């Protein structure tokens, strides 16, 4: 296990790379901890939760709602959780988002940490302090930014992760390579999900490198005034279609990246869409689907990232180099009609 501490504006996160679930007892006082997980993880790892106070949620994005938050809070009260309690979210991005949010509002804020169990949450969702819940079709409409006290990676937990969830996680890794790291893009071109699963060393390097990429962006711009917006590549349209079409997050992001590449062709002269498309397909991700883009446009007009009459889009100049460009809604409507 390799510990590295990352400092943010108001707090720090202790990151344990290549650790093991069992090491949690060395990281935090488990007698005063309460676990939040979902039914799939609880069923896959019953022994890990034996003797631990655990709240088990139904799995899936559709439960990332205020109703679930209310139920968790009722259970925290029943358990007698107080300001000395640490909440530990064990799961994918749905669990880490909801755990971070509950920890931010329960008794005006209690300590929390994560054991992310999907590729997506290891390299993205658990990192950076954004937490929250969906409101109807509007993704992450309510939430806060508050950093976890610790994040623990245990790669063993990935053994039970379904193959399609591996692909969705690689959507965020491909995103990182597109916006910031052309060398990583080239490395990814040499693998598939199957070969990377077998190459534990490269997988460990990628998980750490991607977590560090996100951590360093968040350290420089925790409250998303500038650079952090780049991480939204593929997410603007991705979020607009995710809940409407009930798509998994990584699936929607993959489609969102394809749309963002096409917009980039028109607005920055980006000329490598075919390479991005090929890499997404190589990792089993979707590159096309029948989507009502005008309906998605209506969702965008209510997006929390909008700024008056425009919305910031993340575009690629070339693979590894991205830019933030505000697009007025009237222009965006026309651009979407042309895709
Ligand atoms: N806060 C952020 O910065 C941020 C960033 C990216 C994504 N997100 C959010 O993350 C969510 C998506 O995360 P996700 O893709 O991890 O989804 P998820 O939490 O729904 O997990 C996907 C599925 O995999 C199962 N699972 C998880 N780990 C497993 C394991 N080790 N073995 C067996 N099954 C396992 C879960 O039970 C679930 O069914 C979305 O809500 C998205 O908005 C947040």
């Amino acid at each position: 296990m390799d510990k590295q501490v990352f400092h943010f504006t108001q707090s720090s996160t202790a990151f344990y790379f290549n650790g093991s679930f069992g090491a949690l007892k060395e990281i935090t006082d488990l007698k005063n901890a309460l676990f939040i997980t979902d039914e799939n993880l609880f069923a896959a790892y019953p022994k890990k939760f034996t003797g631990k106070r655990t709240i088990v949620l139904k799995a899936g994005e559709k439960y990332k709602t205020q109703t679930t938050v209310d139920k968790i809070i009722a259970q925290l009260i029943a358990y007698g959780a107080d300001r000395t309690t640490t909440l530990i979210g064990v799961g994918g991005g749905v669990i880490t988002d909801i755990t971070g949010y509950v920890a931010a509002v329960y008794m005006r804020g209690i300590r929390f940490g994560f054991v992310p169990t999907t590729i997506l949450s290891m390299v993205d969702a658990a990192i950076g302090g954004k937490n929250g819940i969906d409101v109807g079709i509007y993704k992450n409409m309510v939430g806060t930014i508050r950093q976890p006290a610790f994040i623990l990676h245990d790669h063993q937990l990935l053994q039970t992760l379904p193959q399609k969830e591996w692909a969705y996680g690689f959507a965020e890794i491909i995103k990182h390579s597109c916006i910031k790291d052309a060398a990583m893009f080239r490395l990814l071109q040499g693998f598939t999900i199957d070969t990377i699963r077998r190459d534990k060393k490269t997988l460990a390097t990628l998980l750490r490198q991607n977590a560090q990429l996100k951590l360093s962006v968040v350290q420089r711009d925790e409250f998303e005034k500038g650079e952090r917006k780049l991480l939204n590549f593929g997410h603007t349209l991705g979020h607009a279609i995710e809940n409407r079409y009930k798509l998994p997050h990584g699936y929607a992001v993959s489609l969102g990246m394809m749309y963002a590449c096409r917009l980039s062709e028109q607005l920055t002269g980006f000329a490598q869409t075919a390479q991005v498309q090929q890499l997404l397909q190589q990792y089993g991700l979707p590159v096309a689907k029948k989507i009502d883009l005008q309906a998605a446009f209506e969702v965008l007009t209510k997006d929390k990232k909008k700024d008056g009459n425009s919305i910031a889009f993340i575009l690629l100049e070339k693979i590894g180099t991205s830019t933030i460009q505000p697009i007025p809604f009237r222009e965006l409507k026309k651009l979407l009609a042309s895709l």
Side-chain angles (χ1 to χ4, degrees):
M1 189 157 74
D2 185 2
K3 178 179 176 184
Q4 210 179 330
V5 178
F6 294 85
H7 301 286
F8 300 95
T9 343
Q10 284 150 8
S11 62
S12 304
T13 299
F15 213 115
Y16 299 87
F17 293 101
N18 249 321
S20 72
F21 190 91
L24 267 178
K25 59 180 180 304
E26 294 154 34
I27 296 172
T28 194
D29 173 15
L30 290 184
K31 284 197 293 300
N32 226 353
L34 242 150
F35 287 76
I36 299 182
T37 191
D38 73 30
E39 56 195 359
N40 293 337
L41 285 147
F42 195 71
Y45 301 100
K47 285 201 187 123
K48 295 209 187 300
F49 296 100
T50 305
K52 299 185 174 77
R53 296 185 298 171
T54 307
I55 296 172
V56 183
L57 307 181
K58 290 213 169 71
E61 183 77 24
K62 72 172 172 175
Y63 297 104
K64 206 175 101 174
T65 60
Q66 186 61 44
T67 307
T68 306
V69 169
D70 292 345
K71 287 183 185 158
I72 297 171
I73 288 173
Q75 290 185 71
L76 291 179
I77 294 169
Y79 272 126
D82 62 23
R83 284 192 176 148
T84 66
T85 303
T86 298
L87 282 191
I88 306 178
V90 181
V94 168
I95 291 297
T96 56
D97 274 11
I98 213 161
T99 302
Y101 181 57
V102 170
V105 294
Y106 186 69
M107 293 193 171
R108 298 205 185 92
I110 61 174
R111 187 172 179 267
F112 68 109
F114 296 141
V115 183
T117 64
T118 58
I119 298 277
L120 191 140
S121 56
M122 285 183 179
V123 301
D124 192 355
I127 300 167
K130 280 192 193 174
N131 57 58
I133 50 171
D134 304 333
V135 180
I137 60 167
Y138 300 108
K139 284 271 305 168
N140 307 329
M141 202 61 167
V142 173
T144 69
I145 296 185
R146 197 162 169 267
Q147 302 300 332
F150 61 85
I151 300 175
L152 170 72
H153 274 188
D154 177 349
H155 301 169
Q156 292 294 326
L157 296 169
L158 293 172
Q159 278 177 4
T160 52
L161 187 69
Q163 182 85 350
K164 64 180 184 343
E165 300 295 342
W166 279 76
Y168 302 151
F170 270 84
E172 302 287 6
I173 291 180
I174 292 171
K175 174 194 81 177
H176 284 159
S177 73
C178 283
I179 58 168
K180 277 200 169 283
D181 195 334
M184 195 202 297
F185 191 95
R186 286 192 293 276
L187 175 94
L188 291 168
Q189 284 177 314
F191 287 91
T192 62
I193 297 286
D194 285 335
T195 56
I196 209 119
R197 282 187 78 155
R198 289 198 291 272
D199 186 341
K200 302 256 183 298
K201 204 161 158 235
T202 306
L203 178 65
T205 307
L206 269 177
L207 291 175
R208 186 178 183 135
Q209 199 183 344
N210 277 276
Q212 281 172 329
L213 184 150
K214 177 154 184 192
L215 283 155
S216 59
V217 171
V218 176
Q219 280 185 311
R220 289 191 292 268
D221 178 24
E222 188 173 358
F223 296 102
E224 201 166 304
K225 303 284 178 228
E227 186 186 358
R228 187 169 183 174
K229 291 184 184 163
L230 295 177
L231 298 172
N232 294 329
F233 174 60
H235 283 61
T236 314
L237 269 165
H239 276 169
I241 60 175
E242 182 175 336
N243 284 9
R244 183 186 160 87
Y245 290 94
K246 300 198 176 357
L247 305 174
H249 183 73
Y251 187 110
V253 167
S254 181
L255 294 172
M257 287 194 281
M258 284 306 298
Y259 289 127
C261 283
R262 299 239 190 76
L263 288 174
S264 304
E265 286 172 5
Q266 300 194 41
L267 298 167
T268 69
F270 178 64
Q272 294 169 299
T273 302
Q275 285 183 53
V276 177
Q277 175 168 343
Q278 161 62 33
L279 191 62
L280 293 170
Q281 286 176 310
Q282 196 170 311
Y283 282 78
L285 286 159
V287 293
K289 184 177 168 66
K290 211 170 162 354
I291 295 282
D292 179 350
L293 284 179
Q294 287 310 315
F297 173 80
E298 297 306 324
V299 179
L300 283 183
T301 62
K302 302 210 170 33
D303 192 291
K304 62 188 177 307
K305 294 186 288 290
K306 83 180 165 109
D307 181 5
N309 290 327
S310 68
I311 184 158
F313 252 85
I314 310 310
L315 304 174
L316 298 184
E317 288 171 349
K318 57 183 184 180
I319 286 168
T321 309
S322 48
T323 178
I324 305 163
Q325 194 160 316
I327 306 182
F329 280 119
R330 7 179 201 87
E331 192 184 334
L332 183 62
K333 200 171 167 71
K334 282 191 222 136
L335 283 165
L336 292 181
S338 74
L339 290 185

